[in-house]
Amino acid sequence: MNKKVVVIGGGPAGMAAAGKLQEFGHDVVLIEKKAEVGGHLNKWYKVFPDFTDAAEIIANLKQGLGKTRIVNNATVTRIKGMAPNFKVTTSTGEEIDAAAILVATGFKHFDAAFKEEYGYGIYDNCITSVELDAMLKAQSVKTRSGKAPKKVAMVHCVGSRDEKVNNNYCSRVCCTNAIKVGIEIKQQNPDCEIYCLYMDIRVFGRGYEELYRTSQEKYGVQFIRGRLSEAGEKNDGSLLLRLEDTLTAKPMRLTVDLLVLMVGMEGNAELAEVAGLSVGCDRFYTTAHQQYSNNASAREGIFLAGTATGPKAIVESITDGRSAAAEIAAFLAINKAIFASSINEQLHLTKV
């Protein structure tokens, strides 16, 4: 029986799964639409809560890939057949036989331009958390005019928990990421004042609450429970923020040099039709069962991992990828036993 597994998506979950499947003795083909594996990690600086360099995580996952065959700059255009006899066609025209498939295609960042009241794409000094991370990585957090900002405000939950953009869910990582980058800005620019404008602080993981406290006690990051109603640009390029402090129910005005929108995650369901997968009301892929079969899809032999099924932190995506690898290995072992039993039965009938 064919032991080859096709992994679609070369982010943290896909790489972790491919590495583990290699250890289990399976041939793995990893298909990645970009020129390099790593996913969003390639653009990031450090990862919470321990400030591990994103490049270090990528290097570690790459090292574990072993003999995995990587197909870059390619997407999957067709999946025919059924387990354990899938035929996967790529955008390059290649056909790959596979006994099982893992979809680990990750997420998309919310397009901040949909929140026009915040001024993204209109005001020079309104940026996203993705752009801020690139600045931190380059050790150069600057305004558009090239000056080090004296005041920075970060708006939580941009594109998450928002009925107006049809994203009712929490993206789970934005609060902790805002805390982390607030600390990083202070480390690079100690005189800068940092303001976090939040709905609720949701820091749920190990070490996250400690990071939240450290940001306030050691670095002086200020947290304002408030709703930003609109941002306006002043003549000097700074931004005047109008918001409501929801703890005191009073309006506030805050002038900052840089406004950072902490954009949430959105589902990446581009393979739904090709792979015959279903999506939930949140537009992430649905699993066979949310409690006890969370790596399997409703289509036998096709598995899911990472943020393809919902928002996750990096460590969760890596763990989920390895969990999916174990599920696939078990699935293939069962099918191998069934296949061997079927062959033996046919041989017995032939002899008779």
Side-chain angles (χ1 to χ4, degrees):
M1 189 189 80
N2 179 18
K3 292 179 64 179
K4 187 175 291 180
V5 180
V6 168
V7 176
I8 307 171
M15 294 171 73
K20 193 57 65 175
L21 285 164
Q22 278 276 305
E23 291 181 14
F24 292 152
H26 296 286
D27 296 327
V28 183
V29 179
L30 178 60
I31 301 173
E32 166 55 40
K33 65 181 178 181
K34 300 287 187 181
E36 292 287 338
V37 294
H40 294 289
L41 268 176
N42 285 318
K43 299 179 181 178
W44 293 349
Y45 178 40
K46 294 183 179 181
V47 175
F48 60 78
D50 58 355
F51 296 91
T52 299
D53 197 303
E56 179 185 335
I57 299 173
I58 295 173
N60 181 276
L61 292 172
K62 278 184 176 180
Q63 189 175 9
L65 288 175
K67 296 181 180 179
T68 298
R69 180 179 165 229
I70 302 173
V71 181
N72 292 113
N73 298 310
T75 58
V76 171
T77 58
R78 182 182 301 172
I79 297 174
K80 295 177 66 177
M82 60 182 66
N85 298 300
F86 289 112
K87 191 173 288 293
V88 179
T89 305
T90 71
S91 55
T92 62
E94 181 181 1
E95 289 190 346
I96 305 167
D97 293 324
I101 298 169
L102 175 63
V103 175
T105 48
F107 69 95
K108 298 182 292 185
H109 282 108
F110 173 74
D111 184 355
F114 284 114
K115 300 295 291 183
E116 293 181 0
E117 62 269 31
Y118 296 163
Y120 182 73
I122 302 171
Y123 306 138
D124 287 342
N125 292 313
C126 178
I127 64 173
T128 68
S129 47
V130 181
E131 293 164 325
L132 174 62
D133 234 53
M135 290 181 176
L136 287 164
K137 192 172 183 177
Q139 304 282 313
S140 180
V141 178
K142 307 284 187 183
T143 63
R144 182 62 65 90
S145 63
K147 296 179 180 179
K150 294 180 179 179
K151 292 184 179 181
V152 175
M154 292 182 285
V155 183
H156 294 213
C157 302
V158 177
S160 300
R161 302 178 66 197
D162 188 342
E163 291 183 356
K164 292 180 181 179
V165 296
N166 196 29
N167 290 343
N168 297 322
Y169 54 87
C170 171
S171 286
R172 300 181 77 241
V173 300
C174 307
C175 286
T176 317
N177 192 41
I179 293 165
K180 177 194 72 80
V181 296
I183 291 173
E184 290 169 338
I185 293 171
K186 290 290 285 185
Q187 288 173 338
Q188 295 185 17
N189 182 3
D191 295 328
C192 184
E193 295 179 20
I194 308 293
Y195 300 90
C196 282
L197 313 180
Y198 69 96
M199 280 198 283
D200 302 289
I201 294 294
R202 296 185 171 186
V203 285
F204 56 88
R206 186 178 186 182
Y208 293 10
E209 182 69 26
E210 290 78 5
L211 191 71
Y212 176 40
R213 292 181 182 180
T214 298
S215 71
Q216 298 171 83
E217 296 169 2
K218 183 177 179 180
Y219 293 96
V221 176
Q222 300 180 57
F223 290 82
I224 301 172
R225 192 174 191 271
R227 295 177 181 273
L228 177 62
S229 57
E230 67 173 321
E233 190 175 53
K234 299 173 74 172
N235 291 335
D236 62 356
S238 63
L239 297 171
L240 176 62
L241 311 184
R242 293 178 173 86
L243 60 143
E244 177 193 359
D245 185 327
T246 55
L247 290 178
T248 62
K250 292 182 179 179
M252 288 183 62
R253 290 188 177 189
L254 179 65
T255 298
V256 297
D257 302 305
L258 200 61
L259 178 63
V260 183
L261 307 181
M262 307 303 297
V263 289
M265 299 184 186
E266 289 192 320
N268 179 18
E270 60 189 22
L271 281 179
E273 186 175 342
V274 172
L277 301 174
S278 58
V279 296
C281 61
D282 56 4
R283 300 182 302 285
F284 290 91
Y285 293 123
T286 55
T287 58
H289 195 282
Q290 194 169 359
Q291 299 297 332
Y292 52 77
S293 193
N294 208 30
N295 284 124
S297 74
R299 185 175 177 184
E300 187 179 38
I302 297 184
F303 296 81
L304 303 162
T307 53
T309 59
K312 294 177 183 67
I314 295 298
V315 64
E316 294 172 318
S317 289
I318 292 172
T319 302
D320 199 48
R322 289 170 177 162
S323 171
E327 293 279 351
I328 293 169
F331 172 78
L332 294 179
I334 292 169
N335 271 274
K336 183 179 179 181
I338 294 171
F339 181 75
S341 176
S342 175
I343 293 294
N344 289 335
E345 186 177 335
Q346 290 177 28
L347 289 173
H348 176 71
L349 290 173
T350 302
K351 289 179 181 178
V352 172

